[in-house]
Amino acid sequence: IFFIESIEEPEGLVLLNKVLFRRYVEARDPSQPWLVAFVRNGSKKCAKCIPYLEQVAAKSYGYMFVGIIDQDKEPLLVSNYKVKKNWTIFLFDKTGYKHLTFPCDPQKYYRMLLDSLPNNVLDADSSWIQSSKKKPSAILFTSRFKVPHMWRAISGYFKDILRIGLCTEPEIF
């Protein structure tokens, strides 16, 4: 008998235990950033900050992830990550992980996740567009020179399936 477990991508604010932490955070594709908070029941700071994480998770649209770990239920993870406070938060990204020391701020948390997204977007000039007939491609035509975060997220998510480009040349569009 074989058991096949469906591994769905997490949505919203995810309550992580050690099994889910290994699956979703430690064994993740490094291009998928995670914001993980170690929390403790009864902590006023945790009670204040968890709604901020819910806001960030709601805006992440499945290309960035946010989780919480109950310190009382996961002492091994607390020990492994040297958690010493009731509220401790880490960013896991392509470079590893880092402890975030600034106060609860949903805009900063969201910005850090966005800045951790990979950028696999190529410059789509006329020669690139002609060669796109050979490989499935998606091109964003825009007058802005900065790659939008959503487009960066798409480029990371579809990196093995599509070639993602940004065209800023007005004569092409």
Side-chain angles (χ1 to χ4, degrees):
I1 297 176
F2 293 97
F3 292 100
I4 299 174
E5 186 175 325
S6 171
I7 300 177
E8 295 180 18
E9 289 200 10
E11 292 181 20
L13 183 60
V14 181
L15 179 59
L16 298 167
N17 58 30
K18 67 182 173 197
V19 172
L20 293 176
F21 182 79
R22 279 191 201 114
R23 178 184 300 161
Y24 291 140
V25 181
E26 290 180 337
R28 78 191 188 289
D29 176 337
S31 68
Q32 291 180 323
W34 268 86
L35 193 63
V36 177
F38 287 81
V39 300
R40 178 160 278 138
N41 281 331
S43 163
K44 289 180 183 178
K45 184 163 189 170
C46 293
K48 174 187 164 197
C49 294
I50 288 174
Y52 295 149
L53 291 180
E54 290 170 339
Q55 289 174 19
V56 173
K59 290 174 28 177
S60 70
Y61 304 111
Y63 56 89
M64 304 176 301
F65 304 97
V66 183
I68 57 172
I69 296 172
D70 184 331
Q71 293 182 35
D72 297 322
K73 293 181 181 176
E74 299 299 336
L76 185 60
L77 289 173
V78 169
S79 173
N80 289 349
Y81 288 91
K82 298 172 179 50
V83 174
K84 300 203 184 328
K85 296 181 180 178
N86 289 343
W87 173 263
T88 305
I89 191 161
F90 292 93
L91 174 67
F92 292 81
D93 63 11
K94 59 188 166 281
T95 63
Y97 68 92
K98 57 185 148 232
H99 175 223
L100 305 180
T101 57
F102 50 83
C104 296
D105 184 337
Q107 269 64 36
K108 274 190 180 178
Y109 294 155
Y110 188 65
R111 175 62 51 197
M112 290 196 79
L113 280 169
L114 288 173
D115 291 343
S116 297
L117 288 171
N119 186 0
N120 299 316
V121 177
L122 303 170
D123 183 31
D125 59 12
S126 57
S127 65
W128 188 87
I129 292 169
Q130 289 300 317
S131 69
S132 70
K133 296 173 184 169
K134 299 174 187 161
K135 183 175 181 181
S137 303
I139 302 170
L140 175 63
F141 294 92
T142 180
S143 59
R144 296 183 180 174
F145 290 96
K146 186 175 180 198
V147 177
H149 290 322
M150 181 63 86
W151 206 242
R152 286 176 59 186
I154 291 168
S155 78
Y157 190 83
F158 292 105
K159 68 180 180 252
D160 298 325
I161 301 167
L162 288 173
R163 192 166 63 155
I164 306 294
L166 180 75
C167 180
T168 58
E169 297 179 26
E171 62 274 2
I172 294 177
F173 59 94

